Amino acid sequence: MESCFCSLSSSLSLKPQLLTSFITTINVSWRIKKIKPHVLQVSAHSYQKFIHFAVSETKRHTSLVPSPLQEKYSSMTAVDCRTELKMQSFQSPKIRLLRTLNIENEAMQVLDFTVLPRPEFDVPIFCANFFTAASMNIIVLDLNPLHNVIDRSDYKEKYYKSLLTVGLKYVELFPWGGKLTSESLQFFSPIVLWTKFTSSQSKHDDLYSAFADYYKVWLQLIEQAVEETDISQIICNREAQHKYLTWRAEKDPGHGVLKKLIGESLAKDLVRNFLFNGLDELGSKGFLDYFPQYRCKDGNINEKRSVIGKSFEMRPWDTNGEFIGNNINI
C-alpha cells in the first residue's frame, strides 16, 4: 500500500504535506464507505443459507453426485478483483442438472438456482432468481412448467392443483412485482412469486421460508415421478426443456450483470454452457426457430424483452389457479 502511494506521489509531483492530506482524505472516505448502512444491509442477507439447505435436502432424497461441469465451473473472480462468483453443479438418477450461481460483494447479492429434471420425467423446473441491491430485492421463485399451463390444462392439473395452497400462502406475503411480458409468462406457473421489496430481516426470513417450502414440494414431485417409457413423450419433454433453456439463455435479464463482472466472452460461456447447459445436447433448434416473432428484417434477433406488446401489471392467475390474463385490461 505504501509503495502505491509513493508511486502516486512521484507521478503527481505532490508535496509531502499535500500527500499526507491526500492519504488522510482517502482513508476517511474509505472508512465512511465501509460503514455505510446499506453495505452492511446487503452483506447481512447472504444466500449461502439457501444453497446449503437445498443441497442438503436433495441429498436426503436422492443420490446426488457432482456434475462433470463442476471441474470447469466452480469459481471465477470478477474484473474488479474483489467479487467472486461461486458455482456448484450436481446430478442424480432423475435430475439432469442441479446448478447454482452465487455472487456476493458490498453492493449486491445474487442467487441463480435451477434444477432441471431428466427428459424421462415431465416434472416442472425449479427456479429461484434472487437479486439484492442496496435496499431493493427483485425476486422470482417458481416451479416453472415444462409444458405451458395456459394451453395445457392437463399438465396444470397434474402438478399445480395440489400446490395452490402453498402458493397462496406466499402470494399474500409477496405482491406481484409489476409488468411481466406475455412471452415470459408461458414459462411460469400459477404459483410463481414475482415480486420486489425493500430489504428487511422479516422479508428475508419469509423469502427463505418460501424457498424452503417450494423446494420441498418440488423434491416430492421428483421423488414420486414415474419414468416415461414412451419415446415420443420423452422427445416432447426434451424439446420443451430445450425451448425453455433457449429462451432463458437469450432473454434472461441477469446477463448484463455478468458482462459487467467478467466480460462478454466469459459471460456468454457461463450462460450457455453452465447456467443453461443443454442447449447443444437437448436439441438443434435456435432461438428464432422457437420464437420467429423476434426476427428482425436483417435476420438478427430483436433484443427487446417483449415484441408482442402485452404485459401484465397484475397477477394473471386467480386463487384457483385459473388464468385470467385475457380478461385483464392492458
Side-chain angles (χ1 to χ4, degrees):
M1 178 67 76
E2 186 175 339
S3 62
C4 292
F5 282 123
C6 288
S7 299
L8 182 62
S9 173
S10 176
S11 62
L12 297 179
S13 300
L14 290 175
K15 295 181 179 180
Q17 60 270 31
L18 292 178
L19 177 60
T20 300
S21 176
F22 178 75
I23 295 174
T24 301
T25 302
I26 290 290
N27 287 336
V28 170
S29 175
W30 179 83
R31 284 197 297 270
I32 291 173
K33 289 180 179 179
K34 187 176 180 182
I35 62 175
K36 277 186 177 180
H38 77 264
V39 171
L40 294 176
Q41 189 177 47
V42 171
S43 60
H45 301 299
S46 171
Y47 289 122
Q48 284 295 324
K49 177 182 177 181
F50 293 65
I51 297 170
H52 178 74
F53 165 81
V55 173
S56 299
E57 193 71 11
T58 310
K59 288 179 178 179
R60 291 181 58 246
H61 288 261
T62 187
S63 176
L64 199 65
V65 298
S67 161
L69 295 174
Q70 191 65 41
E71 293 185 15
K72 179 179 179 181
Y73 302 97
S74 58
S75 67
M76 292 182 183
T77 302
V79 293
D80 63 8
C81 297
R82 296 190 306 273
T83 305
E84 187 175 9
L85 292 74
K86 298 179 181 179
M87 293 147 279
Q88 294 185 61
S89 57
F90 303 90
Q91 59 188 29
S92 79
K94 293 184 178 181
I95 295 173
R96 184 178 72 80
L97 178 64
L98 182 161
R99 58 85 176 150
T100 179
L101 168 66
N102 182 220
I103 305 170
E104 296 186 359
N105 62 25
E106 293 183 339
M108 66 179 180
Q109 309 286 346
V110 175
L111 173 63
D112 191 335
F113 181 91
T114 296
V115 192
L116 299 150
R118 295 189 184 277
E120 291 78 11
F121 305 92
D122 66 354
V123 175
I125 298 165
F126 185 87
C127 169
N129 292 125
F130 302 160
F131 177 84
T132 297
S135 60
M136 178 56 66
N137 298 265
I138 303 174
I139 303 296
V140 176
L141 176 63
D142 194 21
L143 275 61
N144 293 155
L146 192 62
H147 302 289
N148 190 338
V149 293
I150 299 174
D151 299 329
R152 291 275 305 271
S153 59
D154 60 324
Y155 188 81
K156 183 180 70 173
E157 288 290 312
K158 180 179 181 180
Y159 284 115
Y160 295 100
K161 185 176 181 179
S162 61
L163 303 180
L164 287 176
T165 302
V166 177
L168 289 174
K169 173 183 175 182
Y170 291 105
V171 163
E172 295 180 1
L173 292 173
F174 298 105
W176 192 252
K179 289 184 178 181
L180 187 68
T181 66
S182 51
E183 292 99 323
S184 299
L185 204 66
Q186 65 183 297
F187 300 109
F188 291 120
S189 83
I191 64 169
V192 61
L193 298 182
W194 149 237
T195 190
K196 300 175 183 178
F197 59 83
T198 303
S199 289
S200 71
Q201 188 59 55
S202 62
K203 273 294 187 183
H204 281 273
D205 290 343
D206 289 339
L207 182 61
Y208 178 77
S209 295
F211 177 88
D213 284 350
Y214 272 52
Y215 196 63
K216 286 176 182 177
V217 297
W218 185 87
L219 285 173
Q220 291 176 4
L221 294 181
I222 195 72
E223 192 171 37
Q224 296 166 3
V226 178
E227 185 172 352
E228 182 62 68
T229 56
D230 185 338
I231 299 300
S232 63
Q233 186 58 48
I234 295 173
I235 292 173
C236 182
N237 293 341
R238 182 182 292 115
E239 180 165 298
Q241 190 172 136
H242 188 255
K243 182 180 181 180
Y244 170 88
L245 294 170
T246 302
W247 172 264
R248 291 290 308 276
E250 182 65 36
K251 293 297 180 179
D252 194 272
H255 298 177
V257 174
L258 290 177
K259 289 179 183 179
K260 290 180 180 179
L261 289 173
I262 57 177
E264 185 171 357
S265 179
L266 284 177
K268 186 178 294 185
D269 174 68
L270 187 65
V271 166
R272 183 173 187 84
N273 298 312
F274 179 75
L275 292 180
F276 305 113
N277 176 272
L279 286 168
D280 297 324
E281 295 81 7
L282 296 178
S284 58
K285 289 184 178 180
F287 182 85
L288 293 175
D289 295 319
Y290 289 122
F291 311 100
Q293 67 270 30
Y294 277 83
R295 185 185 301 275
C296 296
K297 291 182 179 180
D298 59 4
N300 292 321
I301 297 173
N302 192 326
E303 295 184 358
K304 291 182 179 180
R305 291 284 299 153
S306 173
V307 297
I308 292 179
K310 188 174 184 178
S311 59
F312 299 90
E313 295 187 26
M314 297 179 290
R315 189 172 190 84
W317 286 281
D318 64 18
T319 55
N320 295 315
E322 295 298 321
F323 182 70
I324 57 173
N326 294 330
N327 301 323
I328 297 176
N329 293 324
I330 304 301

